């Protein structure tokens, strides 16, 4: 099996681990500042990324590789909600780009299963991107009056 594909899967896993730690740390910060509704949604996305990291590990093990446990970045702390959203949009944009490219490499390496996995993840990341962009739009347009709806 292709080392190239295993490296891509591990690169993706590192990316997922960064996203998990970023979204979980935002979840705790938002809970602390009483933005409970937003906090629980961020936690939901973090759990989706955990499942991605697991699926990637399963595939890496199947290919006789070693799943990495190293994130490829550090979670930013102490951001305000608009900056959090910008951070998250950046993470999802990078993931979308990575997984699009990875799925094409898997095709050229003739690994249809890894290709399918990247496509499946890609679909979720596009959903996350859309979700974060929507909230950012509302925050930009409506400001404080919208933020109030995210408390609880
Ligand atoms: Fe993910
Ligand atoms: Fe995501």
């Amino acid at each position: 099996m292709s080392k190239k594909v295993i490296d891509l899967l591990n690169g993706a896993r590192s990316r997922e681990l960064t996203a998990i730690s970023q979204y979980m740390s935002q979840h705790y910060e938002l809970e602390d500042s009483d933005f409970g509704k937003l906090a629980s949604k961020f936690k939901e996305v973090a759990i989706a990324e955990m499942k991605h990291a697991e699926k990637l590990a399963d595939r890496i093990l199947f290919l006789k590789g070693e799943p990495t446990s190293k994130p490829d970045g550090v979670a930013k702390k102490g951001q305000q909600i608009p900056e959090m959203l910008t951070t998250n949009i950046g993470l999802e944009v990078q993931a979308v780009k990575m997984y699009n490219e990875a799925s094409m490499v898997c095709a050229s390496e003739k690994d249809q299963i890894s290709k399918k996995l990247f496509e499946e993840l890609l679909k979720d990341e596009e959903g996350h991107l859309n979700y974060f962009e929507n909230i950012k739009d509302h925050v930009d347009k409506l400001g404080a009056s919208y933020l109030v709806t995210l408390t609880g």
Side-chain angles (χ1 to χ4, degrees):
M1 278 292 181
S2 156
K3 167 147 188 344
K4 224 189 224 176
V5 170
I6 292 173
D7 288 347
L8 283 172
L9 292 162
N10 259 327
R13 193 172 141 85
S14 289
R15 193 96 280 259
E16 297 290 344
L17 296 173
T18 302
I20 293 163
S21 90
Q22 182 65 75
Y23 302 159
M24 283 311 289
S25 105
Q26 290 170 346
H27 162 74
Y28 299 127
E29 290 179 347
L30 289 167
E31 285 243 296
D32 274 351
S33 48
D34 290 324
F35 282 99
K37 278 187 197 147
L38 193 59
S40 63
K41 187 66 198 183
F42 279 21
K43 183 181 173 185
E44 233 176 73
V45 182
I47 292 170
E49 311 298 16
M50 288 173 202
K51 290 180 184 157
H52 289 175
E54 264 308 294
K55 284 184 180 171
L56 288 159
D58 287 346
R59 184 68 188 151
I60 292 162
L61 287 169
F62 183 84
L63 297 175
K64 309 260 185 288
E66 198 186 320
T68 183
S69 53
K70 274 198 208 116
D72 66 357
V74 181
K76 292 180 181 149
K77 303 269 165 86
Q79 293 188 307
Q80 298 300 309
I81 291 173
E83 287 82 58
M84 286 182 181
L85 292 165
T86 303
T87 296
N88 300 1
I89 289 168
L91 286 172
E92 298 295 339
V93 163
Q94 286 167 6
V96 165
K97 186 169 183 288
M98 267 179 84
Y99 298 173
N100 257 312
E101 286 168 4
S103 75
M104 288 189 276
V105 176
C106 291
S108 71
E109 295 294 309
K110 301 190 168 43
D111 182 341
Q112 292 298 321
I113 303 296
S114 299
K115 178 176 185 280
K116 274 213 185 99
L117 174 58
F118 277 117
E119 286 169 352
E120 183 190 322
L121 267 46
L122 180 56
K123 190 161 176 270
D124 289 349
E125 311 306 5
E126 282 189 349
H128 300 160
L129 177 57
N130 186 46
Y131 168 73
F132 289 131
E133 281 179 341
N134 267 334
I135 305 182
K136 177 103 183 10
D137 255 24
H138 283 74
V139 171
D140 289 350
K141 282 192 197 123
L142 305 168
S145 61
Y146 178 67
L147 288 176
V148 169
T149 69
L150 306 173
T151 59

